[in-house]
């Protein structure tokens, strides 16, 4: 669950905001009663960024399938993997 804090807390309570961001992963900062910023822990940022990268790769793969790109079988992928990194 996200905490919601006013913009003034960024000036007056930075340590508390940081602690909340680490505990809850994100804090919504409001300005004049409206959501304006999100403060999150670096761990949450990395996790969200990694998730976006996976979604981008999946979307690219789906576009390749949709446009009829040549696909590799699982067997071919594993054979290429073994040739490059050695059999295990």
């Amino acid at each position: 669950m996200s905490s919601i804090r006013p913009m003034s807390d960024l000036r007056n309570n930075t340590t508390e905001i940081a602690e909340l961001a680490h505990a809850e992963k994100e804090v919504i900062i409001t300005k004049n009663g409206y959501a304006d910023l999100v403060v999150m822990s670096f761990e949450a940022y990395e996790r969200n960024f990694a998730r976006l990268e996976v979604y981008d790769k999946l979307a690219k793969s789906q576009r390749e399938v949709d446009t009829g790109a040549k696909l590799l079988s699982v067997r071919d992928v594993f054979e290429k993997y073994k040739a490059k990194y050695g059999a295990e």
Side-chain angles (χ1 to χ4, degrees):
M1 183 77 179
S2 300
S3 289
I4 301 173
R5 304 302 290 263
M7 183 74 73
S8 61
D9 279 4
L10 284 176
R11 287 185 291 270
N12 304 324
N13 301 317
T14 53
T15 302
E16 183 182 345
I17 296 293
E19 289 170 357
L20 278 171
H22 285 282
E24 299 182 16
K25 305 302 180 211
E26 64 185 33
V27 180
I28 298 169
I29 305 296
T30 61
K31 183 176 181 181
N32 298 324
Y34 296 96
D36 188 51
L37 302 170
V38 175
V39 177
M40 63 176 61
S41 69
F42 188 70
E43 177 187 67
Y45 169 81
E46 283 186 316
R47 187 178 54 252
N48 288 341
F49 192 77
R51 184 179 298 127
L52 288 175
E53 285 182 320
V54 168
Y55 290 159
D56 285 343
K57 288 177 183 181
L58 288 171
K60 180 183 176 193
S61 297
Q62 186 62 54
R63 284 192 302 274
E64 289 175 358
V65 168
D66 293 345
T67 59
K70 182 179 182 261
L71 303 176
L72 298 173
S73 71
V74 172
R75 177 174 281 130
D76 291 341
V77 171
F78 279 109
E79 290 301 320
K80 284 186 174 191
Y81 179 82
K82 286 179 187 178
K84 185 172 182 176
Y85 298 106
E88 295 246 353

